Amino acid sequence: MREFITNHLAGLAWDAVVAVPLDPVQKRKRGFNQSELLTAGISVSLDCPDLSCCLKRERASQPQHRMTRSAREENVKDCFSVSDQEVFRLKKILLID
């Protein structure tokens, strides 16, 4: 992951990284959120804050791998919320899913 960041993301300026929150039921089943684990390391590599705690999942969604674009958009509509909008205002966010 560090090599990829160095080779492909180093020239880009990110203000923060954020992990997409996993559905609590899925997180309990799996025992962890892989996006959170990746985000922690990426945050260090890019020397920018991890603001994952500011993004919350409001409801579960269906797996999207076989959905059309419009179905995906509908599937995640109102699925996430931000605890403090000012934290994200005018920021370049690297979203890890």
Side-chain angles (χ1 to χ4, degrees):
M1 185 62 72
R2 277 184 225 276
E3 185 177 327
F4 179 86
I5 290 169
T6 301
N7 293 335
H8 300 284
L9 300 179
L12 301 173
W14 305 101
D15 297 311
V17 294
V18 176
V20 173
L22 195 58
D23 173 39
V25 173
Q26 290 290 2
K27 188 172 182 177
R28 247 188 321 279
K29 272 197 239 180
R30 188 178 294 157
F32 63 95
N33 178 348
Q34 70 277 12
S35 297
E36 289 174 351
L37 297 175
L38 290 169
T39 300
I42 292 169
S43 171
V44 171
S45 292
L46 293 177
D47 192 30
C48 61
D50 179 352
L51 298 179
S52 298
C53 63
C54 298
L55 184 61
K56 304 292 180 202
R57 182 176 283 269
E58 296 295 330
R59 63 175 181 79
S61 58
Q62 298 297 314
Q64 299 194 126
H65 63 280
R66 292 193 174 137
M67 291 183 181
T68 64
R69 180 181 178 144
S70 60
R72 288 173 190 242
E73 289 174 3
E74 188 63 32
N75 187 43
V76 296
K77 185 178 179 184
D78 300 323
C79 195
F80 302 98
S81 67
V82 174
S83 61
D84 182 358
Q85 292 184 5
E86 286 303 312
V87 170
F88 291 100
R89 189 172 310 282
L90 301 175
K91 298 276 187 351
K92 292 179 185 174
I93 304 295
L94 177 57
L95 189 64
I96 308 297
D97 186 15

